[in-house]
Amino acid sequence: MESQEKGWLENMLGWGRKRQLETREVLYGNAVDLARDPAFFSDHGVADTVDGRFDALALVVALVMRRLKDCGTEGQALSQELFDTMFADMDLSLREMGAGDIGVSKRVRVMAEAFMGRLESYAGSLDSGDREALGAALGRNLLRGDKPADDTLVDFVLVLEQRIAAVDTQALLAGRLD
């Protein structure tokens, strides 16, 4: 087969091309980008560790899932897909860090349960407009401490929440957070 014909056939069959990312993967990637904002770590005291990065990501994904609940059935389905994508990534990351098969599923389950607790406490405090409860939840989870987060971190999270809340519904359902 001639080179030109072979190239056409490969493109026709999808060989030689990168696969298209699904919406949930695009949305997760955008959430990861937000969670990697250096301000979390340099300005607000989040530890630049595996746990600190998990907590920053958990916060961002919780905010996105909270926004998706207002986007009808499509948003609710995408919210579940975002959750599933996040924990598939956690599973893969733990395996890449050398965790054994038996330990990975248990650790991912514990992380998922921790995430759900964070989602509930963040959403509850944001829904009720309770800055004090939000500060306590951020201090407990994001900062992994016994004292509430200071006002600058609470303000930072509220601005992030407003930014996500302002994303156009169609853009959000397409996986974009800009």
Side-chain angles (χ1 to χ4, degrees):
M1 190 179 302
E2 286 187 29
S3 170
Q4 185 178 16
E5 185 179 342
K6 184 177 178 187
W8 174 83
L9 181 60
E10 285 178 353
N11 284 336
M12 175 89 170
L13 297 174
W15 300 339
R17 285 190 284 157
K18 292 182 179 180
R19 83 177 172 86
Q20 287 286 86
L21 291 177
E22 294 185 30
T23 302
R24 67 177 180 248
E25 295 166 321
V26 172
L27 183 58
Y28 179 68
N30 285 319
V32 168
D33 287 345
L34 282 178
R36 288 183 178 164
D37 183 338
F40 275 115
F41 311 100
S42 62
D43 299 346
H44 300 294
V46 177
D48 193 3
T49 62
V50 171
D51 288 339
R53 290 176 184 208
F54 168 77
D55 282 312
L57 180 60
L59 171 64
V60 170
V61 169
L63 295 174
V64 173
M65 288 175 67
R66 183 171 174 271
R67 170 69 172 89
L68 284 167
K69 78 176 184 176
D70 296 329
C71 298
T73 5
E74 191 176 351
Q76 292 168 4
L78 184 55
S79 178
Q80 181 63 52
E81 291 173 4
L82 175 61
F83 175 86
D84 294 344
T85 301
M86 178 179 176
F87 285 97
D89 183 50
M90 295 297 118
D91 183 282
L92 179 63
S93 295
L94 287 171
R95 290 176 194 283
E96 287 177 347
M97 292 182 342
D101 285 340
I102 295 171
V104 168
S105 62
K106 182 179 179 182
R107 288 176 74 181
V108 170
R109 187 181 74 245
V110 168
M111 292 169 80
E113 290 169 359
F115 172 81
M116 293 309 293
R118 285 160 172 75
L119 173 63
E120 187 176 316
S121 66
Y122 295 147
S125 60
L126 288 166
D127 290 345
S128 66
D130 189 341
R131 284 181 60 94
E132 193 173 306
L134 179 60
L138 292 169
R140 191 174 51 251
N141 298 312
L142 191 62
L143 301 178
R144 300 218 172 204
D146 296 329
K147 63 180 185 155
D150 64 21
D151 285 339
T152 61
L153 178 56
V154 172
D155 290 340
F156 177 77
V157 170
L158 289 172
V159 167
L160 182 59
E161 187 267 338
Q162 290 169 354
R163 184 173 153 198
I164 292 169
V167 174
D168 176 73
T169 298
Q170 291 310 310
L172 183 63
L173 293 174
R176 296 193 319 267
L177 290 174
D178 46 28

